[in-house]
Amino acid sequence: VELVGELAERALALAGDSDHDRERLAAHHLAGAADAYRGRESSALDHLEQAEAIALALGDPWELAAARQMRGVALTHATPRQTALAMVEYEAAMNGYAVAGDTMHVNNARFMWASAAAESGVELERAGRMAAECVDYARSVGNTHELAHACLAQVRLNPDAPVEAHDLESLIGIFRRLGDLRCLTRSLLLQARRVSPEAAVPLLEHAYSVAVSAGDRGHQITALEQLVEAHRALGDTLRTQVVLGRLEAIARAD
């Protein structure tokens, strides 16, 4: 993500004096994406607003959908999370990609919508239907990454149910192979909730280290919160206090 941020800065510098709308659109979209995944909400939304304005002027539904989807990512990674607004953006992106005829990106935005619903606990019935649609689409085109995304959305919506098409071990292997660090972290966190506290500890330490590699502060906090729970369940007061110290260093005393 940091490398993408550096490339975005170079793209903005190159496009700054350009008369070509698409060059400026591409640079602002890339900068918005980099900042969205780095949790820089304000800067991300500024860049994406400029990308959206250019896409509207060009009458390009695909670029408009891409800006809306990335705005959803920025809102999802905001502190505090603005999940309801993110879901509006993801739905707008789905519609825009459909107009543009890009079914793969319709499916990807649909997965993000279902994941946001799972996280916020709203519209869960609809989210379940959308996750199932994601599974059907990914199977129909043989897209392993999108199928893993869809199965992850299903298990997040119903953590106690068996995972359709893949077990969590398979999902962990797929996301690790593809280099999808955020979904690898999500899968490890879910796996840790399904096992004993003793078995959860190494999974949570792994999830934390992956989140650090991804620069994903939100999942670093979640992993440490679950580690606190695991050590408390094991009656290990010392390790509980040590992890609370690590958590405080990231999340502050609140």
Side-chain angles (χ1 to χ4, degrees):
V1 174
E2 293 305 317
L3 176 57
V4 174
E6 293 176 18
L7 293 169
E9 290 175 9
R10 292 179 62 186
L12 287 168
L14 290 167
D17 298 324
S18 175
D19 294 328
H20 296 286
D21 288 337
R22 290 196 177 276
E23 291 183 3
R24 291 187 293 108
L25 188 156
H28 283 297
H29 183 270
L30 183 63
D35 285 340
Y37 281 107
R38 290 188 289 186
R40 301 176 181 178
E41 177 196 1
S42 179
S43 177
L45 295 178
D46 285 346
H47 284 297
L48 294 167
E49 183 178 0
Q50 294 184 66
E52 181 179 21
I54 299 170
L56 281 168
L58 293 171
D60 189 325
W62 193 96
E63 291 289 0
L64 183 57
R68 299 295 295 269
Q69 183 179 15
M70 200 50 60
R71 186 182 292 153
V73 171
L75 294 167
T76 301
H77 291 283
T79 306
R81 296 179 187 272
Q82 300 179 51
T83 309
L85 292 175
M87 291 169 71
V88 172
E89 299 294 342
Y90 291 142
E91 186 142 21
M94 280 188 277
N95 295 334
Y97 286 133
V99 169
D102 185 342
T103 54
M104 193 280 287
H105 275 93
V106 169
N107 198 64
N108 188 253
R110 183 190 290 135
F111 151 72
M112 290 186 173
W113 190 97
S115 293
E119 189 162 308
S120 61
V122 301
E123 296 195 59
L124 295 181
E125 185 176 343
R126 185 186 177 205
R129 293 196 302 271
M130 292 178 78
E133 291 170 2
C134 288
V135 169
D136 290 343
Y137 170 81
R139 281 180 175 154
S140 73
V141 297
N143 188 321
T144 301
H145 198 179
E146 288 301 314
L147 181 57
H149 274 159
C151 292
L152 179 60
Q154 287 185 319
V155 75
R156 292 180 76 191
L157 286 162
N158 192 359
D160 297 323
V163 186
E164 185 176 345
H166 293 280
D167 58 27
L168 273 170
E169 286 291 341
S170 297
L171 293 179
I172 288 168
I174 290 167
F175 290 130
R176 181 181 288 114
R177 187 179 78 249
L178 295 172
D180 187 337
L181 299 185
R182 289 179 185 274
C183 286
L184 173 57
T185 305
R186 293 185 182 108
S187 301
L188 289 165
L189 292 172
L190 283 168
Q191 183 79 312
R193 291 238 180 245
R194 291 177 162 229
V195 298
S196 68
E198 187 174 12
V201 169
L203 287 169
L204 293 170
E205 289 288 4
H206 186 189
Y208 175 76
S209 68
V210 174
V212 169
S213 298
D216 186 350
R217 181 174 172 273
H219 279 128
Q220 290 172 41
I221 292 171
T222 301
L224 291 176
E225 287 174 341
Q226 288 185 221
L227 263 175
V228 169
E229 295 173 8
H231 286 308
R232 282 189 67 189
L234 291 168
D236 192 331
T237 304
L238 177 60
R239 283 191 171 86
T240 299
Q241 292 177 341
V242 169
V243 177
L244 279 169
R246 292 165 64 189
L247 180 58
E248 184 177 8
I250 296 175
R252 298 178 296 278
D254 60 345

